[in-house]
Each structure stands twice: as structure tokens, then as C-alpha cells.
Amino acid sequence: MRGIEGKVTVITGGIRGIGKGIAKRFVEEGAQVIVTGSKDVENARKTVEEYSKLGKIESYMADLSDAAAIDKMIDDVVKKYGRIDILVNNAGIQIREWATDFKVEDFDKVLAVNLRAYYLASRAAARYMKKQGGGSIVCISSGNSQRYTTRRSPYNITKAGINGLVGTLAVEWGRFNIRINGVAPGFVDTELFRVGVKNGIIDVDNNMLVVPMKRMLEAEEIANGVAFLASEEASGVTGQVLFIDGGWSRAGLPEKKEM
């Protein structure tokens, strides 16, 4: 894809799930990829070992709930490579509980990682992108930014907030040739999703009632959208959120597959 090869690319939460799929696509496109994690050093090592056969990739451990750690992460990347061309804000956490019972400290934790970190990392990267003449940022939102589900109110709120963040910063930074867009995935077949199914938290058949395509999505399908928006092929696109959700965000009533 035009405009990714050789680009210094930071992908937060790039060591598992959707983030790992995004990392694979960017490595294959020839980018210099830095995937970040917080504490899962072993998973980071495995991801780098697996994808280093395809191209250039390394890991960086950072606590994204810590503002100073986020600034240091971006600073360290620029110190090493001289620039940052692409930032993919992907890291996120999920805590399930009724809003009436949600602990304030857990609410703050979800907001810190899922939304505040996106804002802080974006502006840290944008400071350098402004000096170097431009750059591209892609933020991972969710179908839950428009289709709300119970027992995950802070998650829904942060994902809706990401859509607003994308639009706001696109307007502010467009004059500096800094593009920022979002991708909102639907139901994606990841390890974390399968754990939810196994634990009885997620009912796949029930979910598919509201998905017109009647199937789970793959991480690589999300990665394709991220790669497009980050690339020069989307040079005129900013402030947009691309829903890659099998049609979920456009569905009305639930429908069975055989209808």
C-alpha cells in the first residue's frame, strides 16, 4: 500500500488480538513497527519473534495510564529513529459491571487507558509530526461507540469519545498535514473474544442476529482498514471513523440467518 514502506509506526497494544493483526499488516507493508504493551513481556517477545521473519519490528513496554510514560514512549521512538510517521492507538481494556455498581477507580482506569491515553499519545506524536511536515494517526474505536450494550458503560463512553477525539483533532491539525482517523470494529474473532464465549459472557448466536453479514470478522480485516487510512492512499481523508463491523452499525431489528 502506497506510503507505508519505511514509515516509523507505533502501535499501542500491538502484541495481541486486533493490535497484533494490525502489526502484522504493517510489518508486511515494510514499515518499521514498534508494538507496545504494559506488562505482558512474554507476549511481546513472542510477537516480535514471530513477525521479525516478515520485516522490522520491536517491542516497547509502557504503562499507558501514566502520562509521563506516554510522552517518554514517543520521545524514545523519535530519539532512536529520528521521526514518527504513523501512530495507531489500539490499546484498550474492558471491565464488565452494572453502572450502578461500577467502582469509581475502575471507571477511571478504563477512561485512562481507552481514551485519555489516545489523546495524550496523539498530541505527543503530533508535536513531532508538525515539525517534520505531517503524519498519520489511526484510533481504534468500536461498534459500541454507536451500538451500546449493557454492563460496559465506561467502555461504550470511551469509544464514543474516541470518535469525538478523531473529529476534533482532525480539524485542529489538518493545516499541519497531520491526518487522524478512526476504525470501529464489530465482533472480531480474537483470543479475548473466545475467552468471553467460553466463560458464558458472550453469546455468538445472539450477536449474529444484529450483524447483517452473519459472521465474525477477522483481525486482518480490521488491519486492512487501518493500513488504508494510515497510508498515502487516504491522503485526503481525515476526521472520519470507518466502521468495519459486518453492517452491525446499520442494522435495525435482529434477524435470523435464514430470513
Side-chain angles (χ1 to χ4, degrees):
M1 189 163 282
R2 182 166 51 88
I4 292 182
E5 185 176 2
K7 299 295 186 181
V8 178
T9 302
V10 174
I11 303 171
T12 69
I15 63 176
R16 62 185 301 179
I18 291 173
K20 186 175 179 180
I22 295 169
K24 181 174 185 287
R25 177 62 192 271
F26 276 79
V27 170
E28 291 173 334
E29 289 285 348
Q32 169 60 64
V33 175
I34 301 96
V35 292
T36 80
S38 57
K39 300 177 181 178
D40 196 351
V41 176
E42 180 61 18
N43 225 0
R45 184 192 65 78
K46 289 180 180 178
T47 298
V48 170
E49 182 179 348
E50 180 181 356
Y51 291 163
S52 60
K53 303 169 186 176
L54 305 174
K56 300 175 181 178
I57 183 171
E58 64 182 76
S59 63
Y60 186 103
M61 307 310 289
D63 179 3
L64 296 181
S65 66
D66 182 342
I70 292 173
D71 283 341
K72 185 177 186 303
M73 173 184 72
I74 300 298
D75 289 344
D76 286 348
V77 168
V78 175
K79 285 177 184 177
K80 181 171 183 177
Y81 293 103
R83 60 190 297 114
I84 177 170
D85 300 299
I86 298 169
L87 168 66
V88 180
N89 287 309
N90 164 78
I93 60 174
Q94 172 73 277
I95 299 175
R96 297 174 185 270
E97 184 55 271
W98 296 108
T100 48
D101 302 319
F102 219 99
K103 296 178 181 178
V104 173
E105 54 267 34
D106 286 341
F107 181 89
D108 291 341
K109 185 186 301 183
V110 174
L111 261 66
V113 176
N114 290 15
L115 182 58
R116 179 171 172 265
Y118 283 39
Y119 179 80
L120 296 178
S122 295
R123 73 173 190 170
R127 291 180 184 127
Y128 289 108
M129 290 176 176
K130 183 178 177 181
K131 294 176 183 178
Q132 68 195 31
S136 182
I137 301 170
V138 181
C139 299
I140 302 303
S141 177
S142 169
N144 282 116
S145 66
Q146 286 192 357
R147 293 292 181 262
Y148 310 125
T149 50
T150 58
R151 297 190 67 190
R152 55 174 71 182
S153 53
Y155 181 86
N156 295 344
I157 291 166
T158 59
K159 293 304 181 178
I162 288 168
N163 296 358
L165 179 152
V166 163
T168 298
L169 298 184
V171 171
E172 185 169 313
W173 295 343
R175 70 203 66 197
F176 306 123
N177 195 34
I178 300 171
R179 297 186 301 104
I180 178 167
N181 292 287
V183 169
F187 301 109
V188 183
D189 186 12
T190 63
E191 179 182 349
L192 194 60
F193 188 91
R194 290 193 291 272
V195 169
V197 173
K198 182 179 179 181
N199 292 339
I201 298 172
I202 299 171
D203 184 332
V204 176
D205 291 336
N206 190 52
N207 288 357
M208 290 304 104
L209 292 176
V210 295
V211 178
M213 292 184 74
K214 303 303 176 191
R215 68 172 178 84
M216 296 288 294
L217 296 170
E218 300 295 331
E220 67 182 88
E221 294 179 286
I222 311 306
N224 291 341
V226 174
F228 166 69
L229 289 172
S231 77
E232 290 180 6
E233 294 185 16
S235 58
V237 182
T238 193
Q240 306 303 308
V241 178
L242 175 61
F243 281 75
I244 305 178
D245 61 359
W248 177 30
S249 58
R250 288 292 181 257
L253 293 173
E255 295 181 347
K256 294 181 180 179
K257 186 175 182 179
E258 61 271 16
M259 286 183 66

